[in-house]
Amino acid sequence: MNDPQKEIELLRTTIEVLEQENSQLSERAEDAMLLGLVAEAIQGIKDPQEVIFHVLERISILKDFPFVTCCRHTSISLEKVCSYSLFTDNESTGYPIVFQPEVYEELKNGPFIDYKMDNVHATFSTATFIPSSVILIPFQCRDFGPSFVLLFNRENSDPPQASELFLLDQIVNLAVSYLDNLFLTKEIDNVNASLEDKIKQKTADLTDANQRLLESHNQFSAVLEGIDAYVYVVNLETYEILYANQKYKQTIEPNATGKPCYTTLKNKSYPCEDCNIPNLIEHISVPDYVVVTESWKPGLSKWLLSREKIVSWPGVNLAKLTIDTDI
């Protein structure tokens, strides 16, 4: 036979456990909501100080902190980044803020709470706000360097629970991650803009260089085409004609390019015995070495004065420039 009293006690215990679980779930839902509200509030904001202000505003309103502030830690003082207050519009409220040396030691271990405000001195009008405690959350980001978020609580407030401290730390870390991503995005944008400027400048430089090369080429071609001499360039390895000026094409061979020089000039099927190419190669290390000769060109039925030298030419290892003048 079941004991009614035991069943009642068991039922009470079960209800208490369910109530505790429900309370925990409710707290987690509130925490998730606060994180979501903070993330939503800062979404799309580009100014780092404005990001911090919106984070402080949400914390102050939703967690009922009368005064919250963010300050940058310099070598000599704490400089305000921004603040949010429920009791005043005075932007200088709370400052100057001074930490005692022991505070910095405690902060190495994470958030630090000074219930009696003995180690943290802030400037408030006693007629408007008397803080009883402060939560200090250290952080560091690229925009502000070593910094703190300070959350001041009113008199007679209950000490914050560990879960609340963890949530507040999470919110600050959320803001820091957003700021760091924002900073990196700006850096990437700056690098891309710089690269685009360099590409534009490089493109303009190349365009100018190509234009100058084209002008030089046209001038060079005009000189070679107008000169009263047979001008041609030969590949030293294959004896093929790489270039021939207009006089050469009109007088000797219209389609000279690609054909052996000994064919078009001397009607031979093999290199000439008196060819100067070996001589030029032998003196390749001599700057501006020129071979000057006189020779009979059967294809022209003329004696020509030839000036030959090695030159650089696109697409081949060695090339010979020849200028033949009718004598």
Side-chain angles (χ1 to χ4, degrees), residues 55-293:
V55 171
L56 297 181
E57 180 187 41
R58 292 302 187 277
I59 293 176
S60 175
I61 294 174
L62 296 175
K63 284 299 183 179
D64 195 27
F65 285 99
F67 181 75
V68 291
T69 187
C70 174
C71 53
R72 182 189 298 109
H73 181 213
T74 69
S75 58
I76 58 174
S77 65
L78 297 173
E79 295 182 355
K80 186 185 78 168
V81 174
C82 60
S83 302
Y84 184 82
S85 172
L86 294 177
F87 56 84
T88 181
D89 293 330
N90 186 353
E91 294 183 356
S92 62
T93 296
Y95 287 84
I97 296 175
V98 180
F99 292 167
Q100 294 300 319
E102 51 265 34
V103 172
Y104 295 102
E105 290 300 318
E106 293 287 345
L107 283 171
K108 293 178 181 178
N109 299 319
F112 172 69
I113 308 167
D114 182 11
Y115 294 115
K116 297 181 180 181
M117 295 288 293
D118 292 336
N119 297 325
V120 178
H121 301 291
T123 307
F124 295 106
S125 171
T126 56
T128 56
F129 179 55
I130 301 176
S132 63
S133 64
V134 59
I135 299 173
L136 285 76
I137 303 177
F139 71 91
Q140 181 161 338
C141 68
R142 298 173 184 269
D143 291 289
F144 305 120
S147 303
F148 301 101
V149 168
L150 283 70
L151 313 172
F152 290 88
N153 225 331
R154 59 173 53 88
E155 286 185 302
N156 303 321
S157 297
D158 294 331
Q161 300 296 317
S163 59
E164 184 177 16
L165 290 176
F166 178 73
L167 171 64
L168 294 171
D169 194 52
Q170 277 189 309
I171 294 174
V172 172
N173 287 331
L174 171 67
V176 170
S177 297
Y178 181 86
L179 289 174
D180 284 342
N181 289 335
L182 190 65
F183 181 89
L184 292 175
T185 300
K186 290 179 180 177
E187 289 294 301
I188 292 172
D189 289 343
N190 291 336
V191 170
N192 287 338
S194 177
L195 286 175
E196 287 178 0
D197 290 340
K198 290 180 180 179
I199 290 172
K200 290 179 181 178
Q201 185 60 47
K202 192 67 175 178
T203 302
D205 292 343
L206 288 174
T207 301
D208 292 341
N210 288 336
Q211 183 61 35
R212 290 194 297 271
L213 285 173
L214 179 60
E215 291 173 358
S216 297
H217 173 76
N218 292 336
Q219 292 172 354
F220 176 73
S221 297
V223 171
L224 293 184
E225 298 300 335
I227 194 172
D228 188 19
Y230 307 98
V231 181
Y232 58 99
V233 178
V234 173
N235 186 334
L236 295 190
E237 295 178 349
T238 64
Y239 295 88
E240 291 182 357
I241 295 177
L242 303 172
Y243 167 81
N245 71 344
Q246 196 64 27
K247 184 175 179 63
Y248 189 104
K249 292 179 179 179
Q250 289 176 347
T251 309
I252 302 175
E253 173 58 63
N255 301 312
T257 304
K259 295 181 178 180
C261 55
Y262 49 78
T263 299
T264 61
L265 287 172
K266 295 191 176 182
N267 298 321
K268 290 188 175 184
S269 58
Y270 51 87
C272 306
E273 295 82 355
D274 57 349
C275 181
N276 288 317
I277 288 180
N279 185 13
L280 288 169
I281 294 176
E282 183 180 349
H283 295 84
I284 192 171
S285 61
V286 180
D288 298 325
Y289 183 76
V290 179
V291 176
V292 181
T293 59

